[in-house]
């Protein structure tokens, strides 16, 4: 557990790094502050993000800006129905050497980067989706019986279109659960849209300046895990997750009526780890109930599977989460 002595400089360094990163990204990305903060929290947690929003809202530019500011290698994978697992992970190819001998040599795929944008992940087949999601979970890929470790830090930002279109393969529940956060990218306001047009139709704009590197991010990932969380706060996070299960005795009525499957234990882990980062970014040394509540929606929304009745009545996961936060007391 983090000791009080020497903590303040470390917390200050964390806050300064994050604020500098968000400032550099803001030079390129107009608005979307909550999305940028959510991406930052997930990066510090060592998790991955699922972004949902219309095309053309700057998701590719967001990844590229973060990579430039942190001196990280980035790549983009456009998911299509004909994309194969080897197109993501890489494959062994036959190479002829100078002495005439032929040997197989591993050619890494685009997943071998620090920041990977998996664009429209639900357009690829389940087999290709699984190849990416396995790499996300394990931090490595195995090709031809040989294991290849991915670079660290390793961060996947996957996007999917909220509009139901032909040729899509929705992510299964177990695979959705591997994402740390699900963030909604809203359409820009009138003022933001004007600013976007002005920035993108004029001379080449600002390029993010480097403010950290891969080693610094790894150190910050270790630092945030040392922020203590009191047992009653952990218990609160556990009760929030249990409240998403319709068979839990204390579950709210909205859960019992509209939720088919509740969140997994990964959700409780995400609530506490994200809560630690939220507390650290606020300059505090421990996690409060408010920290957990603040990160509850992005941590839970993709982990709730609603009933058909919920769809008919226009009930969304966010509506269920709001009711749970309102009904579950801090001290149970």
């Amino acid at each position: 557990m983090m000791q009080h002595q020497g903590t303040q400089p470390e917390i200050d360094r964390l806050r300064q790094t994050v604020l500098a990163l968000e400032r550099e990204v803001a030079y390129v990305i107009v608005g979307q502050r909550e999305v940028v903060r959510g991406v930052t929290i997930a990066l510090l947690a060592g998790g991955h993000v699922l972004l949902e929003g219309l095309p053309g809202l700057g998701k590719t530019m967001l990844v590229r800006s973060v990579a430039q500011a942190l001196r990280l290698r980035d790549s983009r994978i456009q998911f299509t129905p004909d994309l194969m697992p080897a197109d993501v992970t890489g494959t062994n190819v036959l190479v002829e050497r100078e002495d005439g001998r032929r040997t197989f040599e591993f050619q890494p795929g685009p997943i071998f980067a620090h920041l990977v944008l998996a664009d429209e992940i639900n357009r690829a087949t389940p087999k290709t989706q699984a190849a990416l999601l396995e790499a996300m979970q394990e931090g490595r890929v195995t090709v031809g019986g040989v294991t290849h470790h991915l670079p660290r830090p390793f961060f996947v930002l996957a996007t999917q279109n909220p509009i139901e279109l032909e040729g899509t393969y929705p992510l299964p529940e177990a695979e959705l659960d591997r994402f740390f956060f699900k963030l909604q990218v809203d359409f820009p306001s009138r003022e933001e849209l004007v600013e976007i047009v002005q920035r993108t139709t004029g001379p080449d704009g600002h390029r993010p300046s480097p403010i950290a590197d891969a080693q610094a991010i790894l150190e910050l990932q270790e630092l945030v895990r040392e922020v203590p969380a009191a047992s009653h706060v952990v218990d609160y996070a556990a009760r929030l997750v249990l409240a998403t299960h319709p068979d839990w005795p204390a579950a709210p009525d909205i859960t019992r009526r509209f939720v088919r499957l509740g969140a997994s234990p990964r959700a409780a882990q995400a609530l506490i780890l994200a809560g630690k980062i939220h507390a650290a970014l606020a300059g505090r040394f421990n996690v409060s109930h408010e920290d957990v509540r603040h990160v509850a929606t992005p941590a839970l929304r993709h982990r709730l599977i609603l009933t058909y009745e919920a769809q008919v009545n226009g009930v969304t996961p966010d509506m269920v989460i709001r009711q749970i936060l309102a009904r579950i007391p801090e001290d149970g």
Side-chain angles (χ1 to χ4, degrees), residues 34 163 289:
E34 287 297 319
I163 302 174
H289 295 94

Side-chain angles (χ1 to χ4, degrees), residues 13 18 22 30 67 139 143 147 154 183 187 190-191 201 261-262 267 300 304 315 321 325 329 331:
R13 179 168 64 94
V18 170
E22 294 178 346
V30 177
V143 177
T147 298
F154 176 64
L183 303 173
F187 199 81
R190 176 181 175 181
E191 294 77 11
T201 58
L261 292 174
L300 296 175
L304 303 187
V315 175
I321 295 167
L325 292 174
D331 300 315

Side-chain angles (χ1 to χ4, degrees), residues 74-278:
D74 67 292
S75 68
R76 178 179 180 272
I77 308 172
Q78 182 63 54
F79 278 71
T80 57
D82 60 348
L83 191 73
M84 299 298 292
D87 297 327
V88 175
T89 60
T91 187
N92 289 321
V93 297
L94 191 62
V95 176
E96 184 172 351
R97 302 195 177 278
E98 294 180 357
D99 58 5
R101 291 187 304 166
R102 295 181 178 181
T103 59
F104 281 100
E105 185 176 289
F106 179 67
Q107 295 292 328
I111 201 172
F112 282 84
H114 292 111
L115 270 65
V116 177
L117 173 62
D119 212 0
E120 295 186 303
I121 186 175
N122 55 337
R123 285 197 176 277
T125 62
K127 186 175 183 179
T128 303
Q129 292 177 3
L132 171 70
L133 295 164
E134 181 181 4
M136 289 166 47
Q137 180 70 19
E138 304 296 334
R140 60 179 183 262
V141 298
T142 301
V143 177
V146 179
T147 298
H148 306 273
H149 291 273
L150 296 169
R152 297 183 61 229
F154 176 64
F155 178 69
V156 172
L157 194 153
T159 72
Q160 64 179 11
N161 196 314
I163 302 174
E164 293 296 333
L165 299 175
E166 293 183 6
T168 59
Y169 302 85
L171 294 174
E173 293 86 347
E175 296 181 351
L176 282 171
D177 191 38
R178 298 188 186 186
F179 287 97
F180 189 81
F181 273 176
K182 180 182 178 182
L183 303 173
Q184 305 279 10
V185 184
D186 297 326
F187 199 81
S189 66
R190 176 181 175 181
E191 294 77 11
E192 291 171 343
L193 187 55
V194 170
E195 179 66 21
I196 290 171
V197 173
Q198 290 176 337
R199 289 192 189 185
T200 56
T201 58
D204 289 342
H206 176 87
R207 287 181 174 271
S209 301
I211 53 95
D213 57 17
Q215 185 58 40
I217 295 302
L218 292 175
E219 292 173 0
L220 293 178
Q221 287 179 346
E222 294 181 4
L223 171 63
V224 296
R225 287 181 172 270
E226 295 176 356
V227 176
S231 58
H232 65 277
V233 176
V234 176
D235 179 70
Y236 176 62
R239 286 186 289 112
L240 288 180
V241 172
L242 288 171
T244 67
H245 291 257
D247 57 349
W248 189 52
D253 292 339
I254 192 171
T255 299
R256 296 176 181 275
R257 182 178 177 186
F258 295 120
V259 177
R260 180 165 60 89
L261 292 174
S264 75
R266 281 198 185 109
Q269 295 169 344
L271 286 174
I272 292 301
L273 186 51
K276 289 184 175 188
I277 298 169
H278 188 265

